[in-house]
Amino acid sequence: MISPGSLSTGSFSGSSVWARPLIAGWRVGETLRFGWLEYRAANPPGLLLTATGPRLILQTLFLTVLGGVLGGAQQRAFAFVGALAIALGSANVVYVSNIAVSEKQFATFWRVRSGRLSAPAQFFSRAAPYPFAGLIMVAVTAAIVGPVVGLGSVALRQLPLTGLYALISLSTTAAGLAGASVAIGRNADQLATNVITYLIILCSGGFLPPGRIAWVTKLGSVLPVTHGLAAIRANLAHLPWAGQALEELAVCAGWAAIAAVAVTVQAWRARRTGNEDYS
């Protein structure tokens, strides 16, 4: 039997050792639940329906139409696929910064670093709703914009590629969390996440075909979206795509590592100095 004392101290003996993974899982589950409630509070349905959703739809529509004006029907389809991937960056990179911003704004980071779960584990668990929400919003965007611009068939062809879009959604969320966690001490979290978003638009190959400008291509190789989008386009063209998907996964892991280090350093600094202000 697990006693209240063993739950509070984390000490187990004999046959109760098996309960450790269960309790750890319960803690993660509660943090995930809190993350969902936090997401709903920061992104109420009214905001999603009147601001976030329409912005993604209009952005995708604008980039797709612009591609058609500049390069004809083929470029319009190219821009449509790229605009959908860019929309994930626009949705996830900026909005996931709410997690770090709320801790600084309300001076509550002490709760995070004093919890049973590590600070990075808490941040990642609370960020879980953002990849799912971003994926849903992009699916809705594709369903609306595709038929409007005469690319409904292209939108339908991307349904089997949901896994690749999910990978992009994860990598953009990791990049947004990393950018906010690194820059928030200087009150530059919004600047950092917006810069990452603009660089994704420029360097991912979403609108500008890759390889045209060397430094843009090199920068895009370490940013989210670039490799995942290349995998999507290769798949649509019946070309090998797994290598690009693995590179997107590596980029996702890299940005997640940056976020974990930034949050860990902040927790260590707060314990040493008593300063919870991310400065």
Side-chain angles (χ1 to χ4, degrees):
M1 180 180 296
I2 303 173
S3 66
S6 66
L7 287 174
S8 61
T9 62
S11 60
F12 302 90
S13 60
S15 61
S16 63
V17 172
W18 62 268
R20 290 179 180 177
L22 294 178
I23 294 174
W26 174 81
R27 289 171 179 154
V28 171
E30 286 297 290
T31 308
L32 289 168
R33 186 174 71 87
F34 174 77
W36 168 242
L37 296 175
E38 184 180 37
Y39 177 85
R40 288 177 57 190
N43 302 275
L47 179 65
L48 294 175
L49 292 174
T50 61
T52 306
R55 182 176 65 82
L56 294 180
I57 292 170
L58 292 175
Q59 174 185 296
T60 303
L61 180 62
F62 171 78
L63 291 176
T64 303
V65 172
L66 181 61
V69 170
L70 295 178
Q74 185 174 1
Q75 182 64 24
R76 184 172 71 248
F78 180 92
F80 174 62
V81 175
L84 290 175
I86 288 173
L88 281 171
S90 300
N92 293 348
V93 172
V94 174
Y95 292 112
V96 77
S97 65
N98 289 330
I99 295 172
V101 170
S102 64
E103 297 298 339
K104 180 180 176 69
Q105 181 179 358
F106 298 109
T108 50
F109 187 71
W110 63 271
R111 300 180 308 174
V112 173
R113 66 179 181 83
S114 61
R116 290 286 183 177
L117 288 179
S118 68
Q122 291 187 55
F123 272 41
F124 288 135
S125 297
R126 288 163 59 186
Y130 289 87
F132 287 103
L135 194 60
I136 291 171
M137 285 190 287
V138 166
V140 173
T141 300
I144 293 174
V145 176
V148 169
V149 296
L151 296 173
S153 61
V154 176
L156 288 174
R157 289 177 59 197
Q158 293 181 82
L159 284 176
L161 308 181
T162 301
L164 291 174
Y165 278 102
L167 178 57
I168 293 174
S169 198
L170 285 172
S171 64
T172 51
T173 300
L177 196 59
S181 300
V182 169
I184 196 171
R186 303 298 178 186
N187 294 316
D189 48 281
Q190 291 187 355
L191 174 63
T193 52
N194 277 293
V195 166
I196 293 173
T197 301
Y198 295 141
L199 288 176
I200 288 173
I201 294 173
L202 174 64
C203 304
S204 65
F207 187 78
L208 179 68
R212 300 288 181 88
I213 304 174
W215 69 267
V216 169
T217 302
K218 290 180 180 179
L219 184 56
S221 67
V222 298
L223 290 172
V225 176
T226 304
H227 300 291
L229 177 56
I232 289 171
R233 285 180 171 149
N235 192 298
L236 290 172
H238 305 291
L239 297 173
W241 55 270
Q244 291 288 354
L246 289 175
E247 290 193 52
E248 184 73 18
L249 182 61
V251 169
C252 178
W255 283 102
I258 293 172
V261 169
V263 176
T264 300
V265 168
Q266 171 58 24
W268 170 81
R269 181 184 297 163
R271 285 193 298 269
R272 185 173 64 87
T273 65
N275 184 357
E276 305 285 355
D277 196 36
Y278 275 89
S279 57

